[in-house]
Amino acid sequence: MFNRVTEIRTMRANRSLSDEAFCAHLNRRIGELMTLAVYVSKNASSKECFTRPLLADLLSEATKIEELLDAYGVKNNRLWFPLRQAVAPIKLFSNVSYILIHILRFLPDYHLLPIEEDFPAATEKALSFTCSILIESTAALIRQSKRLGLEVPDTSPALENFSDELLEGHLAADRPKQKVASPEETVVYLATAFLNLAEASTFLHAVQKQHIEDYSDWIPDPISEERLRNLEEMFHNLQSLYDTHISDSNVETLDKDLPVLRGHITVIYHLLETATSITHFCERHVLGPTPFPKPHLPGLIDSKELFDVLIHYSVAFASRYITRTRSLCHKMLGRYAVQGQITVPAPRYRGFHVRPSTLVARIVSHYGSQVEMRLDGDIYNAGVTLD
């Protein structure tokens, strides 16, 4: 069976397909996306245009059409390639816009600790920019479709078809909670896991310390899709760890900082999602080479503003909230820390030199606890290398 499927695929790949036949085939599949594109073109000026139901449909339809185009080798075809270049940003930025609206909707539930910067205002600004990309991209899709002879509908759904109205309040929380035998161990494990992820996130903090005129110099070092995607997955795993072991248990009622920690893990994860997607677009469509020259789509995307959203919104706020949450984890660990002591020998005639001192100080700083070193009756701060 497998060999037969492989044979059919090979035959189809080697068979030449006329533009007319492909156009007729695509017309039967692209109708829903074209209807959504026309809807955006007619309602872009309305504040109610971009809702989560609309963005979810745009993402779904753009994903299906992009996969269809790739299946027929559009990336290597001069005539049809510009159509794919119009579909790609619709798929990517409908997803990013959905995440940004999700962040704004659930901000009160995240219990975010205060930072100097105005995160809600920055999120609104980033959302306005990603929606402007969708406006330009859907307009480009309509232009390219007309050029290729694809059908463009004259009508579109009404605004209320994509309403995202939410009811006030929550349903009763009447499910029984499972009891965790050792909540202290769970809290310590979770806080420690976050601190380890914070250590893996140090490359994000570079944008806070340096000034670069050309943001593209940040890609792919230190910012790359691969590094961001790996970090995004690790924060997603940490969120899943919390939801599996804490959300349905009695532990949240025992430590008021736990829901705060969960909110920060979630918002950092969502920010990394947007950073990964935007970096993918920058590497693939803005900075990376393409088989043929990119289609002339004037005003489609302002690359400088795109880099600005990536560096000064997604990456910068992820960095700020990681730093802010580190201090929260230090405080939580301090409440559950068990005091103890160990005795270690120092090599005769060598003493306790800078390398082991630096290592001990880094470990103490990582966990944020107060650790003392005693030598011949004198007390030193183990978190300070020179002590």
Side-chain angles (χ1 to χ4, degrees), residues 129 133 299-307:
F129 174 66
I133 293 178
L300 181 58
I301 292 179
D302 184 333
S303 59
K304 185 179 185 302
E305 191 169 356
L306 181 64
F307 287 127

Side-chain angles (χ1 to χ4, degrees), residues 270-320:
H270 287 322
L271 286 167
L272 290 173
E273 277 188 300
T274 65
T276 301
S277 294
I278 296 174
T279 303
H280 166 84
F281 191 84
C282 290
E283 291 183 355
R284 181 73 63 85
H285 299 282
V286 178
L287 301 175
T290 55
F292 300 106
K294 296 176 183 177
H296 182 58
L297 300 174
L300 181 58
I301 292 179
D302 184 333
S303 59
K304 185 179 185 302
E305 191 169 356
L306 181 64
F307 287 127
D308 189 65
V309 170
L310 169 63
I311 300 298
H312 289 139
Y313 173 73
S314 297
V315 173
F317 277 100
S319 169
R320 288 168 187 142

